[in-house]
Amino acid sequence: MLSKLRDPSEKALAWLLLAPAFILIGLIVVYPIGKLIYNSFFDLRLSGGGGGALFLGLQNYADVIKDADFWNATKNTLLITLITVPGALVMGLGLALLANLPFRRKWPVRLSLLLPWALPLSFAGLIFAWFFHTEYGVVNDIVRRLGLQTEPTMWLLRPNWAFTAICLTIIWKTSSFMALILLAGLQMIPKSLYEAAEVDGANKWQQFWQITIPMLMPSIIVALIFRTITALQTFDIPYTMTRGGPGNTTETLAMLIHKTTIEYLDVGYGSTLAVGMFLLSIVVTSFYLHRVGRNA
Amino acid sequence: MNWSWSSMQLRVIAAGLVVINGFFPAVWILFTSLKSETELVQKPITWWPQNVTLQNYVQAFTDQPLLRYLSNSLIVALGATALSLLVSACAAYAIARLNLKYRQVILTTIIASSMFPLVTLLVPIFETFRAMDLLNTYTALILPYVVLNLPVCTLVLVSFFQSIPKDLENAAMIDGCTRMGALWRIVVPLAAPGVFTAGILAFVNAWDEFLLALSLNSSASMRTLPVGISLYQGEFTFPWPIISAALIVAIVPIAVLIAVFQERVVGGLTQGGLKG
């Protein structure tokens, strides 16, 4: 009867079951990447009646390197990543520590972490754009009530304030996912470790740095990797809050690629920009994976 | 960390902070949606709505085809969820159960498929779908969303399949079931909780997606909720109370879903969940 399990047809069945997944990955990921690289060598505009694509060789790449918009968007993307990833980690850790206190009813706290996670990024952008409204926004109202400032801040109309508002929104939105991952990590730390530390006379602060943080490291790294990958792709929140403005001071790489390709239909140049972003992602994530490999 | 547990106040404050952080934006939008136009331009702004009105909700549905956006979102999200589950359950079963040589390589490939920046894939997908006349169809969104969901759904399902004793299946086959019969009668019912968890994650992913929906389905009748609502604004006007009402309409279904199944969602997220 066991022979049924060693049936050679099992191998065929396995590949048959895997086929749909791989066909879809081929269609939606592998083929597009090949096509993307191919397109990046052409002058390919979908606007205005077609006509063949003109082979440009490396011209698009030379143009990208000289393109101030590209470097501006790259700078913004990296800056957003550098600010919001650690920001979300710190806030997420804070939320996770608060949520880890022993509550009798766990659902209100759990739901308050799940709701921001489930909220679309674009909705977070819309809601916070309203928060940061100069005249009727609740942020300026709170600032006024606290007596911190009499003149309302023009949050979304000034480059640096708009950038700050976007980063705060991203941190709020992404910290809840961080908190959920870190909370799961916190709950796996054995209580006995703290009891032993208590006996040895370690104070809360020492316990935090010498037990909580080291034990939480695997969760922190997982959360950081995925947050970084998504931070590099930042689009929804700046798009819904400022459309990249004022000027292009909050435009990210994803927004620039979207604008070039989907709005201006300049597929060739947009593809070259995308290849640039692709390389950037590989550099940043491989740096991360390298660090993780060393820690493992 | 072991704070002084005895302090009840501390716990209440902690819970309060977490709850306010999570709920305040949604609550503020709810308040805004209930305010009248005149109340909205009062200064200083009011916190509690003074004269509650449902006018904004009426306008949210009449100014824009909100009902259409809602049904588009439902069709796309449900379609993507069903197809994601089917495709990833097949793959997960093969990885977890069958005699497969490159198990780890295959799983890694599936996970790695989610690492690529979506916007870089968008460019060629847009071009291909445009050539195939697929733009502004449900298919245009469902297919990419299935790939988006593959890693998380496959991870969740692999761990569920692995938790079902293989002997149960073998016993069924000894009793004369075919492999497919055993799969359908034994494994599928036992894996149902995992399928459900993966399904919720897939649904939320598809419900929330913005960039592809904005780019591939741009015509008014094919917009999903995130895209449709982000376009309520005019060139120079932001009808905030109406946008707020539309947001509440869009948030309620997803909020109910996660409120009812919160334990499942948290379990799924931490088990295989790797989404930002």
Side-chain angles (χ1 to χ4, degrees):
Chain A
M1 278 304 159
L2 271 175
S3 65
K4 232 176 190 168
L5 294 177
R6 297 207 193 87
D7 194 344
S9 73
E10 188 170 293
K11 210 171 173 179
L13 176 64
W15 286 109
L16 191 70
L17 289 175
L18 286 167
F22 279 99
I23 289 170
L24 274 173
I25 290 175
L27 186 75
I28 303 292
V29 179
V30 180
Y31 169 75
I33 291 173
K35 186 82 176 131
L36 180 78
I37 296 168
Y38 178 82
N39 280 346
S40 70
F41 298 112
F42 287 88
D43 181 5
L44 181 60
R45 288 162 216 262
L46 296 180
S47 52
L54 180 69
F55 183 72
L56 289 179
L58 291 171
Q59 188 57 47
N60 279 335
Y61 287 88
D63 291 344
V64 166
I65 288 171
K66 283 181 287 186
D67 188 343
D69 287 343
F70 170 73
W71 291 112
N72 168 61
T74 304
K75 185 200 79 191
N76 289 340
T77 305
L78 288 175
L79 214 51
I80 285 175
T81 307
L82 282 172
I83 294 169
T84 64
V85 174
L89 176 67
V90 171
M91 185 166 164
L93 186 58
L95 286 171
L97 290 170
L98 290 177
N100 195 38
L101 294 174
F103 298 112
R104 198 147 18 107
R105 272 182 238 289
K106 293 198 186 307
W107 69 264
V109 164
R110 200 166 41 201
L111 190 59
S112 6
L113 294 179
L114 278 172
L115 189 66
W117 164 76
L119 195 72
L121 285 157
S122 55
F123 288 3
L126 287 171
I127 295 173
F128 277 71
W130 175 230
F131 273 25
F132 286 113
H133 193 281
T134 309
E135 303 286 328
Y136 310 116
V138 70
V139 174
N140 276 346
D141 189 62
I142 292 171
V143 169
R144 185 189 57 81
R145 279 166 196 257
L146 293 174
L148 294 175
Q149 212 173 0
T150 43
E151 276 301 297
T153 309
M154 297 169 88
W155 283 100
L156 300 179
L157 305 171
R158 295 275 177 273
N160 287 342
W161 286 121
F163 206 86
T164 310
I166 284 169
C167 287
L168 288 172
T169 308
I170 295 174
I171 290 172
W172 176 82
K173 162 66 186 151
T174 55
S175 59
S176 58
F177 173 72
M178 283 264 187
L180 286 164
I181 298 292
L182 298 180
L183 185 58
L186 282 175
Q187 287 168 347
M188 299 222 290
I189 304 177
K191 284 259 185 332
S192 57
L193 284 179
Y194 294 107
E195 284 154 18
E198 199 89 30
V199 172
D200 292 345
N203 63 32
K204 300 283 181 258
W205 190 245
Q206 287 166 323
Q207 289 176 27
F208 176 71
W209 284 108
Q210 286 171 20
I211 299 173
T212 309
I213 292 295
M215 293 294 284
L216 210 52
M217 233 5 156
S219 313
I220 290 178
I221 288 172
V222 166
L224 278 182
I225 290 173
F226 285 89
R227 184 69 272 278
T228 304
I229 292 172
T230 49
L232 292 171
Q233 307 183 32
T234 301
F235 178 87
D236 307 14
I237 283 179
Y239 185 86
T240 44
M241 284 180 84
T242 61
R243 289 283 193 277
N248 62 0
T249 49
T250 58
E251 186 173 71
T252 64
L253 262 180
M255 292 165 82
L256 179 64
I257 294 167
H258 173 264
K259 188 171 77 180
T260 310
T261 316
I262 308 297
E263 285 175 30
Y264 302 160
L265 293 170
D266 191 347
V267 170
Y269 194 66
S271 299
T272 317
L273 289 169
V275 171
M277 176 169 181
F278 198 65
L279 295 175
L280 178 77
S281 313
I282 288 175
V283 170
V284 174
T285 48
S286 64
F287 169 75
Y288 249 123
L289 293 173
H290 181 73
R291 288 294 298 272
V292 177
R294 227 170 27 187
N295 283 345
Chain B
M1 251 195 316
N2 197 3
W3 309 87
S4 41
W5 303 130
S6 53
S7 164
M8 187 67 189
Q9 289 97 322
L10 185 72
R11 272 190 253 168
V12 171
I13 293 170
L17 284 175
V18 179
V19 171
I20 289 171
N21 174 71
F23 278 91
F24 184 74
V27 169
W28 190 258
I29 285 296
L30 178 68
F31 286 176
T32 305
S33 74
L34 297 171
K35 288 178 186 173
S36 66
E37 194 110 16
T38 44
E39 186 180 348
L40 205 81
V41 293
Q42 266 175 43
K43 283 194 3 175
I45 63 169
T46 55
W47 279 49
W48 289 97
Q50 307 295 312
N51 309 301
V52 171
T53 167
L54 292 176
Q55 183 55 35
N56 298 318
Y57 286 85
V58 175
Q59 264 183 280
F61 280 97
T62 49
D63 283 10
Q64 294 256 352
L66 184 60
L67 210 55
R68 176 83 198 183
Y69 301 157
L70 196 65
S71 75
N72 287 344
S73 269
L74 272 175
I75 292 169
V76 168
L78 288 174
T81 304
L83 200 57
S84 302
L85 288 178
L86 190 67
V87 173
S88 51
C90 288
Y93 184 79
I95 291 166
R97 273 296 209 258
L98 297 179
N99 177 17
L100 206 59
K101 227 189 208 159
Y102 303 104
R103 207 178 297 271
Q104 203 53 48
V105 179
I106 290 166
L107 191 57
T108 310
T109 309
I110 290 177
I111 294 167
S113 67
S114 69
M115 298 275 200
F116 299 105
L118 200 55
V119 73
T120 63
L121 302 177
L122 167 70
V123 182
I125 290 174
F126 176 79
E127 194 205 348
T128 310
F129 281 6
R130 194 176 192 261
M132 292 167 73
D133 223 2
L134 274 178
L135 296 182
N136 292 310
T137 65
Y138 295 127
T139 318
L141 295 184
I142 290 175
L143 288 182
Y145 289 175
V146 172
V147 177
L148 232 56
N149 284 328
L150 260 185
V152 67
C153 289
T154 308
L155 276 172
V156 169
L157 290 170
V158 163
S159 68
F160 257 89
F161 284 142
Q162 278 169 343
S163 71
I164 299 166
K166 208 164 183 172
D167 290 343
L168 285 177
E169 240 175 299
N170 292 347
M173 283 195 273
I174 289 166
D175 288 347
C177 258
T178 59
R179 180 171 268 288
M180 279 304 158
L183 180 66
W184 185 244
R185 290 191 198 160
I186 309 290
V187 180
V188 169
L190 284 174
V195 173
F196 203 78
T197 303
I200 296 172
L201 296 179
F203 185 86
V204 173
N205 268 347
W207 185 264
D208 290 3
E209 205 284 330
F210 182 68
L211 177 63
L212 289 173
L214 175 74
S215 312
L216 302 178
N217 282 10
S218 54
S219 85
S221 63
M222 291 305 291
R223 286 174 195 154
T224 59
L225 280 170
V227 178
I229 295 177
S230 77
L231 298 176
Y232 267 59
Q233 61 199 72
E235 202 167 343
F236 300 106
T237 57
F238 269 85
W240 284 113
I242 299 164
I243 293 176
S244 301
L247 282 171
I248 292 296
V249 170
I251 291 170
V252 164
I254 206 93
V256 170
L257 187 75
I258 56 159
V260 174
F261 300 110
Q262 36 174 309
E263 265 166 276
R264 285 254 159 86
V265 182
V266 173
L269 274 177
T270 47
Q271 198 169 37
L274 308 161
K275 185 208 153 210

